[in-house]
Amino acid sequence: MGWGRVTMSSELQAAILGTGSYVPARRLTNQDFEKTLETTDEWITTRTGIRARRIAAPDEATSDLCARAASAAIEDAGIAPADLDLILVSTLTPDYMMPSTACVLQKKLGLSGRAIPAFDLNAACSGYVYGLATAKAYVEAGLAKHVLVVGAEVLSRVLNYQDRSTCILFGDGAGATVVGRHTPGGRSHRIREVNLWADGRDTESLLIPAGGSVHPASHTTVDEKLHCVKVNGKEVFRFAVSKMLGMVKDTIERNGWTAEQIGRIIPHQANYRILESACERLNLPMDLFFTNLAEYGNTSAASVPLALDEAARAGKLPAGKPVILVAFGAGMTWACAVLEW
Ligand code: UT7
């Protein structure tokens, strides 16, 4: 099972100390798509639950979104940027193939010259929870006191806006958290467990085919739009429902919780119907799930931390109750975490 649980006996316990998020100003609505694609607001809303998504300005890169979200999380944690001793960025839309977006972020946070580790992590839409697991391991091993974990994407740069089955799903955004040592009674939210999984059998259903070593950039890859996201919608939908269901069921049953004992479930924001399907089969009330996908669409690695920050700031995470994070994505990868809020 998940290795995150192994560290529970550690004397040091990791906790979320602060959260932050940022979305670009430009809002692209379903009605906007009606003008350029053979689609309707009604189709998009009923099939996905998405009504709008945010699009980064031409001069905004992933690291810019990271910096805005990170600054808010650092402020919320009540620390200074200089207190960070590890920077993690989960993204599938980095600024560059190299250097890492985490190093660019380090510079943008004014931390150039401070020799702390910084690296990117790619687990697609599960990326933030993978980052959280890494941060927890570092903190509980005594290797770091304050870890910045950011999930950020500028997916609008890797979408084919002529492909109506894909472009309507995704948006840009960033969410960040500061992970540090848990102090009981303090304003810290213990990360009780994190569980990660991957299965490389299906690496085709969610894919950006070109730009890596298999299909390096060429005129052909550009002409054939192979630098854009390709989704096998039906296959991913099936996978997502089964993993959402499995992770939530296992977490609830293993902990012996009833629906009333759970504070909130924060799922990866991919499709409202995936959540409805999980709720129905688990007999859980839909309002247990925090959703913001109507406004932002699927922001991949940003989705869970963006929702976590919004839910926290809106007072939608009841104190003293567990918060379950669940994510799934390309790889295929899936991951879940339990926080004590
Ligand atoms: O983080 C994970 C990332 N991936 C996902 O979240 C994708 C998960 N999958 C899904 O959310 C759903 O499969 C979709 C929303 C992508 C598609 O929903 P669906 O109910 O599986 O629709 P479909 O693919 O079966 O398409 C039904 C029809 C097709 O037409 P035909 O072949 O039946 O004539 C599509 O061409 O709907 C058509 N269609 C559209 N029509 C209007 C596809 N996209 C659109 C569109 N507007 N935007």
Side-chain angles (χ1 to χ4, degrees), residues 11-15 17 181-190 340:
E11 274 176 36
L12 292 174
Q13 297 199 326
L17 308 183
R181 292 178 180 176
H182 179 52
T183 46
R187 223 186 119 258
S188 74
H189 309 287
R190 190 164 78 97
E340 291 171 357

Side-chain angles (χ1 to χ4, degrees), residues 244-310:
M244 273 286 304
L245 195 69
M247 285 188 282
V248 174
K249 189 169 185 288
D250 172 67
T251 305
I252 293 177
E253 285 181 359
R254 192 162 30 77
N255 287 287
W257 290 325
T258 62
E260 293 71 38
Q261 287 171 303
I262 302 164
R264 195 71 71 197
I265 300 172
I266 301 191
H268 170 47
Q269 311 281 314
N271 186 322
Y272 198 77
R273 280 161 52 218
I274 293 172
L275 307 180
E276 271 180 338
S277 173
C279 270
E280 245 169 57
R281 294 201 221 170
L282 292 168
N283 204 15
L284 292 174
M286 194 60 192
D287 63 5
L288 200 51
F289 285 75
F290 180 83
T291 62
N292 61 5
L293 88 172
E295 189 53 32
Y296 304 129
N298 180 346
T299 57
S300 191
S303 139
V304 169
L306 174 57
L308 176 66
D309 181 53
E310 277 206 0

Side-chain angles (χ1 to χ4, degrees), residues 25-138:
R26 186 177 157 219
R27 192 167 174 268
L28 185 64
T29 64
N30 293 350
Q31 286 79 7
D32 293 327
F33 279 125
E34 286 180 346
K35 294 175 201 148
T36 55
L37 290 172
E38 206 179 304
T39 191
T40 59
D41 170 45
E42 204 259 332
W43 191 96
I44 302 173
T45 308
T46 52
R47 296 289 177 124
T48 69
I50 300 165
R51 294 179 185 278
R53 61 293 288 149
R54 300 301 176 92
I55 305 294
D59 62 352
E60 268 183 322
T62 300
S63 60
D64 295 308
L65 275 58
C66 287
R68 299 286 288 263
S71 299
I74 290 165
E75 191 185 336
D76 191 41
I79 63 165
D83 295 324
L84 296 173
D85 39 26
L86 172 63
I87 297 174
L88 301 175
V89 174
S90 297
T91 186
L92 63 89
T93 49
D95 282 22
Y96 311 104
M97 286 294 279
M98 71 167 190
S100 71
T101 303
C103 288
V104 183
L105 175 61
Q106 183 185 18
K107 179 160 74 179
K108 288 185 175 170
L109 290 174
L111 296 174
S112 300
R114 274 183 47 83
I116 58 167
F119 59 92
D120 287 3
L121 207 147
N122 182 349
C125 304
S126 310
Y128 168 76
V129 185
Y130 268 63
L132 199 64
T134 311
K136 176 175 160 69
Y138 264 80

Side-chain angles (χ1 to χ4, degrees), residues 227-244:
H227 297 271
C228 296
V229 176
K230 310 272 179 239
V231 184
N232 177 344
K234 284 209 186 313
E235 201 48 50
V236 177
F237 194 95
R238 256 195 299 275
F239 162 79
V241 170
S242 117
K243 293 307 176 199
M244 273 286 304

